[in-house]
Amino acid sequence: MQLMKRFLMTLMALFAIGTLPALAQSEADIKAKIKSLQPKDFPKDPLEFVVVYPAGGGMDVATRILAKYVEKWSGQKTIVTNKVGGGGMVGHTYLATQAPNDGHTIGVVASFFWDDGWLRSDGKFDYTYLEPLAFINYDPTTWIVRTDGPLKDKNLKDIVGLIKEKSGELKVGVVPSTSNEFIAEQMEALSGTGKITKVPFQGGAPSITALLGGHVDISFGYFAEYRGHLDAGKVKIIGQANTERVPSLKDVPTFNEELGVNDMVWLAWRYAAVPRGTPADRKAYLEAALNAALNDPEIVPEYAKTGSTMDTKRMNSAKAVTDEVNKLAKLEYDFFIKTGRIKK
């Protein structure tokens, strides 16, 4: 039994860093392949990874780890730029409509990009304005409270009761028109007639700061954003919005299991993408560099420390990532139709 267990663990580890045949390739072989795909006179400048949320947040942390490994495998200088404002809208608009499509600009985005296109762009862009290159990782959206606050001993069912009994009194940090606001709305619906005071922020990091300062009762967040506060005993996680418990949050109930529903699934599904119209040869080169970085054995534990999940079935081609984005985007689009945010 122990032998079989060790074998399965080893096999899972091998798949976590890429397909088994790829392990036979040496670092030199992989770098040579990337070099062979490099177009003439590209890149002329550093590769710029654009994050639309503040430094220190989950997207920012994931991007800085990725950029470091892309630099390692491609040999090209990388930089990370935070274009913040409007709860992500400023950066999303830049990537979709203003960023050069010459391959030097790479956006690291999640499903919030799709939401902004449908709900806040006034038709100026949609999710197809960025072309996916590589899947990075995902995190479920979580709710956290202070361990010395009034909700320290409350679970999600208790919170639904409080929303009903003290309508409007509970303050929850959100980024408007994103999944964390949708969770708050779903909790309101479960209460029947109760309301939450939704306090807007630019991202998870400032919302968590507000929670620690006592300005909100609940903050949304992703594990990397509050891990230090969790380790220090300052915050407690009360729920995760996923179909099942992820390994880093194995003791935290999902909203679905706690509340007896099946539709509270909201993830930061992160992927790297370039503006539409980027030349095919440059996309192929970037795709190879990104996948080499994401298959590096050393990146797996780095992302594990942030609580993010690198799916062992991770898509290793831009086409596979595009197909998955189309599927996930349709699910969110259907949700917006159902809730009346978008008219048929």
Side-chain angles (χ1 to χ4, degrees):
M1 187 70 174
Q2 288 298 318
L3 181 61
M4 177 60 72
K5 183 177 180 181
R6 286 197 297 270
F7 170 77
L8 290 174
M9 290 179 67
T10 302
L11 190 62
M12 288 176 66
L14 293 177
F15 274 111
I17 63 174
T19 57
L20 286 171
L23 295 177
Q25 291 183 292
S26 70
E27 181 173 329
D29 291 336
I30 296 172
K31 287 183 175 180
K33 180 180 178 182
I34 295 170
K35 184 68 176 177
S36 72
L37 291 170
Q38 184 174 358
K40 183 180 179 181
D41 298 328
F42 176 80
K44 294 181 178 179
D45 301 308
L47 298 175
E48 181 183 26
F49 287 83
V50 175
V51 185
V52 306
Y53 299 107
M59 294 290 285
D60 178 74
V61 172
T63 303
R64 292 182 188 278
I65 292 173
L66 176 62
K68 177 176 68 175
Y69 283 92
V70 168
E71 188 166 302
K72 168 186 172 180
W73 286 96
S74 69
Q76 304 297 328
K77 175 70 176 175
T78 63
I79 58 174
V80 176
T81 302
N82 298 82
K83 288 190 178 294
V84 303
M89 188 62 184
V90 169
H92 287 155
T93 301
Y94 168 77
L95 287 169
T97 65
Q98 300 163 9
N101 60 353
D102 61 3
H104 288 93
T105 302
I106 305 164
V108 174
V109 296
S111 54
F112 311 127
F113 173 63
W114 320 335
D115 302 342
D116 277 351
W118 287 319
L119 303 178
R120 299 203 290 166
S121 76
D122 295 325
K124 294 176 182 174
F125 67 86
D126 62 38
Y127 77 97
T128 65
Y129 277 56
L130 290 183
E131 299 179 345
L133 292 181
F135 167 68
I136 303 170
N137 59 32
Y138 74 88
D139 276 312
T141 304
T142 60
W143 266 17
I144 61 173
V145 298
R146 291 198 336 266
T147 52
D148 63 352
L151 303 180
K152 62 182 180 180
D153 297 318
K154 304 296 184 183
N155 59 33
L156 293 172
K157 287 183 179 178
D158 296 331
I159 302 255
V160 170
L162 287 173
I163 295 169
K164 182 177 182 178
E165 295 167 15
K166 300 182 178 182
S167 182
E169 292 187 21
L170 200 67
K171 296 179 181 178
V172 178
V174 304
V175 174
S177 297
T178 66
S179 61
N180 41 79
E181 183 174 49
F182 305 150
I183 292 173
E185 292 176 1
Q186 288 174 307
M187 292 290 280
E188 288 176 329
L190 288 169
S191 78
T193 58
K195 294 296 179 183
I196 290 171
T197 296
K198 305 176 191 73
V199 183
F201 293 96
Q202 296 293 334
S207 178
I208 293 163
T209 298
L211 172 69
L212 294 172
H215 305 297
V216 296
D217 302 301
I218 298 172
S219 176
F220 79 94
Y222 301 98
F223 190 75
E225 297 173 328
Y226 56 76
R227 181 168 187 168
H229 302 306
L230 186 69
D231 291 343
K234 295 181 179 180
V235 300
K236 171 186 175 182
I237 315 170
I238 58 173
Q240 57 178 306
N242 198 15
T243 54
E244 59 185 6
R245 301 185 185 193
V246 296
S248 59
L249 303 174
K250 59 184 176 62
D251 296 322
V252 178
T254 68
F255 281 82
N256 285 350
E257 68 179 281
E258 182 87 4
L259 301 173
V261 297
N262 60 14
D263 59 350
M264 298 186 73
V265 181
W266 298 103
L267 311 172
W269 198 90
R270 304 183 181 102
Y271 62 103
V274 291
R276 190 164 63 179
T278 298
D281 59 342
R282 297 186 179 191
K283 287 196 297 181
Y285 170 71
L286 294 172
E287 179 186 350
L290 285 161
N291 276 309
L294 289 162
N295 281 318
D296 190 308
E298 295 179 5
I299 203 172
V300 178
E302 284 211 49
Y303 277 140
K305 289 178 183 177
T306 72
S308 300
T309 299
M310 293 185 75
D311 197 333
T312 54
K313 300 175 183 176
R314 195 177 65 78
M315 294 135 279
N316 275 289
S317 75
K319 182 183 183 305
V321 180
T322 300
D323 289 344
E324 187 70 10
V325 167
N326 288 336
K327 183 179 77 173
L328 295 173
K330 184 181 184 305
L331 292 175
E332 293 210 10
Y333 184 81
D334 290 344
F335 170 81
F336 297 143
I337 292 289
K338 179 181 178 181
T339 56
R341 285 181 167 85
I342 299 176
K343 295 181 179 180
K344 289 185 179 179

